[in-house]
Amino acid sequence: MTENATPLQIGDLILLVDSKDRRYLLTLESGKEFHSHAGFIPHNELIGGDDGIHIKSTGGMEYLAIRPTMADVVLKMPRSAQIIYPKDLGQILISADIGNQHNVLESGVGSGALSIALLRCGAKVTGYELREDFAQRAIKNVTNFYGEEIVNRYSVNLGDAYEGFSDSNFDRMVLDLPEPWKVVDHIPATLKSGGVFVAYTPSITQVSKLRQRLETDNFVMLETMEILRRTWHVEGQAVRPDHRMVAHTGFITSARFIG
Ligand code: SAH
């Protein structure tokens, strides 16, 4: 074992990566087995091992076992609704200026990918979600990642965001809703003056409708952007952009509310 490494323990989230870069997320449990087309790996063979250990399944497939990053978890955790991808999560945290101790309103919560990212900045997150099954899924994903104590900083209210919110005095508001313009009238009662508003929307017609509603004296510094992420193939002298990229996910619109 390398110096200072914390060995893999029961309850840890672990990412298994095979030689074809297929990735699997699991939680280590005593006596359990991870099964694939290439036989299985007993969890007990991982427990106590190094973070970054190589291990063979009974069918001879070699896997890397390593603690996942937040992005690994978000991409592999069970989904109810479509998640926001890591490339957009990163920008949303900056555009919404999420900080330690900020009171953040999030709606809807979907699978909880954005919740996990907001919480990682130290924010206190209050979610509003229409569907109870989605709210439960988000809470499960969030507590699997952070442990049960996170409920001190994370809660989800069931409700329709277009009807307004039961809490107020938020520092930041982050929306991933089909019709975010329907929330704009509720912002003065919900967000502190000087607060930051961000909405994530897949289509540009949604952006137009939202921007029209934000064109009032209450909002300043309006901005809409998209994040294009292009990875590169780097192998010896063969260095070029990868052939495939995710061409489009969504638009990020931000504004400051000035009450
Ligand atoms: N950002 C989330 C995904 C959100 S998907 C993630 O990263 O995992 C959009 C969510 O908005 C869905 O869960 C949907 O149920 C919820 N939703 C749709 N209309 C709503 C409304 N009027 N009020 C509250 N939530 C709503």
Side-chain angles (χ1 to χ4, degrees), residues 173-193:
M173 181 186 284
V174 187
L175 304 181
D176 180 5
L177 290 167
E179 301 176 292
W181 52 92
K182 291 189 174 170
V183 173
V184 172
D185 283 347
H186 304 301
I187 292 177
T190 312
L191 196 57
K192 285 182 194 164
S193 187

Side-chain angles (χ1 to χ4, degrees), residues 81-82 84 108-114 129-130 134 159-162 176-177:
Q82 174 66 264
I84 297 181
V109 301
S111 308
L114 179 57
E129 170 58 51
L130 200 55
F134 287 14
D160 183 346
Y162 308 148
D176 180 5
L177 290 167

Side-chain angles (χ1 to χ4, degrees), residues 1-215:
M1 188 177 298
T2 20
E3 221 175 325
N4 296 329
T6 313
L8 305 180
Q9 303 168 21
I10 292 170
D12 281 353
L13 277 170
I14 300 295
L15 192 72
L16 290 180
V17 187
D18 75 12
S19 53
K20 294 200 166 128
D21 201 31
R22 283 178 296 224
R23 297 167 182 216
Y24 308 89
L25 189 67
L26 53 101
T27 303
L28 286 184
E29 287 177 52
S30 180
K32 256 194 118 175
E33 290 160 352
F34 164 78
H35 285 259
S36 74
H37 60 283
F40 66 91
I41 297 171
H43 286 205
N44 288 358
E45 285 189 13
L46 294 169
I47 295 164
D50 245 344
D51 192 358
I53 199 175
H54 281 92
I55 190 162
K56 268 201 174 133
S57 67
T58 53
M61 172 72 89
E62 187 165 279
Y63 291 85
L64 167 71
I66 195 161
R67 289 195 179 94
T69 63
M70 178 174 76
D72 294 328
V73 172
V74 157
L75 290 172
K76 282 290 159 195
M77 69 191 192
R79 293 180 192 179
S80 48
Q82 174 66 264
I83 62 157
I84 297 181
Y85 280 85
K87 75 172 175 78
D88 295 318
L89 291 175
Q91 182 58 46
I92 288 171
L93 297 179
I94 295 296
S95 290
D97 189 44
I98 304 299
N100 199 14
Q101 309 297 328
H102 273 150
N103 252 321
V104 180
L105 183 153
E106 184 200 353
S107 186
V109 301
S111 308
L114 179 57
S115 305
I116 288 175
L118 296 168
L119 289 162
R120 210 146 198 230
C121 299
K124 178 172 184 282
V125 178
T126 307
Y128 284 84
E129 170 58 51
L130 200 55
R131 289 185 51 169
E132 176 156 23
D133 52 339
F134 287 14
Q136 291 311 328
R137 168 47 58 203
I139 291 168
K140 200 147 196 278
N141 282 339
V142 166
T143 51
N144 275 350
F145 187 72
Y146 289 108
E148 296 293 333
E149 323 81 63
I150 197 68
V151 298
N152 297 327
R153 286 199 285 126
Y154 185 63
S155 60
V156 181
N157 297 322
L158 286 181
D160 183 346
Y162 308 148
E163 305 280 317
F165 307 102
S166 49
D167 300 290
S168 55
N169 262 317
F170 287 97
D171 303 293
R172 308 285 184 252
M173 181 186 284
V174 187
L175 304 181
D176 180 5
L177 290 167
E179 301 176 292
W181 52 92
K182 291 189 174 170
V183 173
V184 172
D185 283 347
H186 304 301
I187 292 177
T190 312
L191 196 57
K192 285 182 194 164
S193 187
V196 186
F197 168 87
V198 168
Y200 177 81
T201 47
S203 95
I204 199 67
T205 52
Q206 291 169 302
V207 170
S208 298
K209 281 190 179 165
L210 176 62
R211 289 290 299 253
Q212 272 171 24
R213 292 302 307 278
L214 292 172
E215 295 292 347

